Amino acid sequence: MDKFIIEGPTPLKGTISISGSKNAALPLMAAALLGDSPTTLQLVPKLQDIYTFNNVIRVTGTRVDFHETENKLVIDPANLGFTEAPYDLVRKMRASFYMLGALVGRAGEARISLPGGCAWGPRPVDLHLKGFEEMGISIELDKGYVMASIQGDEVEGGEFTLNPSSVGATVNLVLGAVKRAKKFVIKNAAKEPDVVLLCNMLTKMGANIEGIGTSELTIRKVDSLKGVEFSNDPDRIETGTFMIAAAMQPGSDLTLTGCKPSDLGEFPKSFKKLGVILDINDTEIRIQSSSAIKPVSISTEVYPGFPTDLQAQWATLMTQADGESRITEKIYFDRFSYVPELNRLGADLRVEKNRVIVKGKTELEGAAVMSTDLRASVSLVLAGMVAKGTTEVLRVYHLDRGYENLEHKLNAVGASIKRVAEN
Ligand code: EPZ
């Protein structure tokens, strides 16, 4: 397991190009299985989760060629014959559960391992399963696997309300319905850009989906879908993460290229309250930090609200703000594993129920800290770049799941991050 050794503080100056989105690419890869011909996806990031999902898809007999230097993925489902996704792969990455919708959509059956834990435990999939049953797909649970099947070629469909609005359940139900449900309505559907992009790709493949971009999707089955050339979105969470990195560092002047600012929803509104200089055009964002950061309290919401995937990074930023701020997490019950680690660096954060209270400004001092999940880990890297002295971030494999070439991108604009094998 590798670790990062980070020297700080290091203002960030220069340009970073944004990679393709992990969370948008995964549904597109699953959708490719529904095509009667090969699909080519552009702007696919070289990330552990992509490699993992490539292997999950290959288990079915589908051919997957990843032209890494071009970030291009070619998926040819012609020989798809094995409708299973095994536990030893699904447990590595929850989004493998999208294979349920993709395989039911393509083959009318699937045997998919439940992602870690049970259907109703932490990070549940109960909405996925209830939605498929409402659609008319039979669902059985057997020794940690979901067995899904349909009688005949199609199901009646129906109407299902997601409560809460779930990105993954929306993706899975759309994948299952486009070739199978006479008419299926998803109410309180997720509107995240990842869902809109998936629906746009399926429409290009020949699917019949109404209400794209709204919280009510109506899907009517079509008999066949064709493979397409399609481009992934740039990663909105990587974009927000680097915006925060620049704002944290006095003397920073960072330009992000290849962005899609419209995918950031209301995040720029909160960002502007910091008192930094923010210039946004249709593909670039420039951040010039100021000497003082204003405390800005936020609550995470579904799109277009403040993204939960930027919550940990925002808390780290608020350790440098002049005053107290409150960060409320409304999507997950407990997404604060980074708090004790940040406090080891000298921050002053206190968790109260689903809220973290941040007292700023605190001078951060380098120390050894532990990564626990993807977004918590990157918030520790941001902190290490501001902290005086040396910070060691352990178990950076969490980062390799979701940030392409992170240390190279940051070192190119002034950071000092060394990756070393952890003995
Ligand atoms: C997606 O996860 C993202 N992952 C997450 O990003 C992101 O945090 C999340 O959406 C919210 O935006 C991918 O796209 C691969 P949800 P997902 O279903 O689909 C509850 C990252 O860091 N729920 O929208 O799993 C659930 O417990 C990852 O890149 C149910 O109750 O999230 C949560 O409280 C982390 N039952 C809420 O809904 C269900 O059946 C939202 O979860 C499903 C979800």
Side-chain angles (χ1 to χ4, degrees):
M1 288 188 279
D2 294 353
K3 64 183 172 185
F4 277 167
I5 297 181
I6 306 171
E7 299 301 333
T10 55
L12 304 178
K13 291 181 192 305
T15 299
I16 294 181
S17 69
I18 296 298
S19 298
S21 163
K22 160 178 86 81
N23 291 352
L26 296 167
L28 303 184
M29 294 161 70
L33 299 186
L34 294 166
D36 294 338
S37 51
T39 282
T40 297
L41 299 175
Q42 308 288 354
L43 203 62
V44 177
K46 295 187 291 294
L47 294 172
Q48 190 50 52
D49 277 8
I50 301 295
Y51 293 116
T52 301
F53 203 34
N54 284 345
N55 292 334
V56 171
I57 290 172
R58 287 183 179 119
V59 163
T60 67
T62 299
R63 186 185 163 99
V64 180
D65 293 301
F66 192 11
H67 305 277
E68 293 169 85
T69 52
E70 304 161 72
N71 291 98
K72 180 171 81 171
L73 196 60
V74 182
I75 297 177
D76 180 0
N79 295 326
L80 190 157
F82 185 57
T83 55
E84 293 208 8
Y87 172 65
D88 66 326
L89 284 172
V90 174
R91 71 182 171 79
K92 286 188 188 139
M93 192 193 62
R94 175 184 167 80
S96 308
F97 203 59
Y98 294 156
M99 292 300 281
L100 180 55
L103 292 177
V104 164
R106 178 176 183 100
E109 61 169 24
R111 180 172 181 271
I112 312 290
S113 166
L114 283 170
C118 73
W120 283 265
R123 299 297 299 276
V125 287
D126 57 316
L127 295 174
H128 300 237
L129 302 182
K130 287 177 195 156
F132 280 123
E133 286 181 320
E134 169 59 32
M135 200 187 296
I137 292 165
S138 93
I139 295 285
E140 281 167 51
L141 295 183
D142 172 39
K143 300 188 194 65
Y145 277 76
V146 176
M147 329 282 283
S149 61
I150 60 177
Q151 305 301 328
D153 271 349
E154 63 185 21
V155 291
E156 277 310 308
E159 186 174 293
F160 187 66
T161 300
L162 290 174
N163 183 15
S165 164
S166 153
V167 172
T170 305
V171 166
N172 231 342
L173 294 172
V174 168
L175 289 169
V178 284
K179 287 188 72 182
R180 295 291 170 184
K182 283 184 185 165
K183 179 182 176 185
F184 188 61
V185 181
I186 307 174
K187 295 198 166 198
N188 198 29
K191 297 186 288 184
E192 271 67 6
D194 314 345
V195 172
V196 172
L197 192 71
L198 169 68
C199 292
N200 289 341
M201 175 174 151
L202 287 167
T203 301
K204 186 176 181 182
M205 293 174 78
N208 180 343
I209 306 173
E210 289 169 19
I212 297 175
T214 75
S215 52
E216 182 164 317
L217 294 174
T218 301
I219 298 135
R220 290 180 175 83
K221 73 182 278 281
V222 293
D223 291 335
S224 77
L225 295 174
K226 61 185 189 318
V228 289
E229 290 265 343
F230 199 75
S231 180
N232 185 22
D233 269 342
D235 195 315
R236 61 197 174 97
I237 303 304
E238 184 191 28
T239 302
T241 301
F242 289 142
M243 287 169 71
I244 290 169
M248 276 180 80
Q249 304 262 11
S252 290
D253 183 351
L254 186 66
T255 298
L256 305 177
T257 60
C259 311
K260 193 178 168 197
S262 58
D263 280 357
L264 292 170
E266 293 164 12
F267 174 71
K269 221 159 53 184
S270 304
F271 196 83
K272 282 178 183 151
K273 293 176 187 166
L274 298 168
V276 299
I277 300 172
L278 183 65
D279 296 303
I280 297 183
N281 68 34
D282 55 356
T283 61
E284 288 193 1
I285 295 176
R286 183 181 178 189
I287 307 98
Q288 296 171 76
S289 64
S290 58
S291 52
I293 299 168
K294 296 191 179 81
V296 178
S297 293
I298 58 104
S299 285
T300 64
E301 302 287 350
V302 296
Y303 190 83
F306 193 103
T308 172
D309 292 349
L310 288 174
Q311 183 255 105
Q313 298 91 315
W314 194 263
T316 307
L317 168 63
M318 286 297 105
T319 67
Q320 303 307 299
D322 294 332
E324 181 173 300
S325 58
R326 312 167 87 75
I327 296 165
T328 307
E329 173 57 60
K330 290 172 135 173
I331 304 296
Y332 290 104
F333 298 119
D334 158 18
R335 200 172 183 178
F336 300 121
S337 61
Y338 61 89
V339 168
E341 299 305 313
L342 275 187
N343 286 343
R344 280 176 53 77
L345 296 172
D348 180 350
L349 291 88
R350 194 175 77 251
V351 177
E352 277 174 9
K353 297 200 193 80
N354 68 333
R355 172 175 297 155
V356 61
I357 320 288
V358 186
K359 279 199 182 347
K361 175 172 182 168
T362 50
E363 292 299 321
L364 302 184
E365 299 285 330
V369 287
M370 184 74 74
S371 306
T372 52
D373 63 67
L374 173 55
R375 306 305 173 181
S377 312
V378 83
S379 65
L380 299 177
V381 173
L382 299 185
M385 292 195 297
V386 168
K388 279 191 182 54
T390 304
T391 296
E392 288 199 1
V393 179
L394 311 179
R395 299 187 184 173
V396 293
Y397 61 83
H398 290 292
L399 284 167
D400 295 337
R401 292 190 51 185
Y403 287 91
E404 189 179 45
N405 298 327
L406 182 66
E407 71 267 34
H408 304 297
K409 289 185 175 184
L410 288 170
N411 287 339
V413 293
S416 166
I417 304 173
K418 230 179 17 237
R419 177 189 289 258
V420 298
E422 191 182 17
N423 37 32

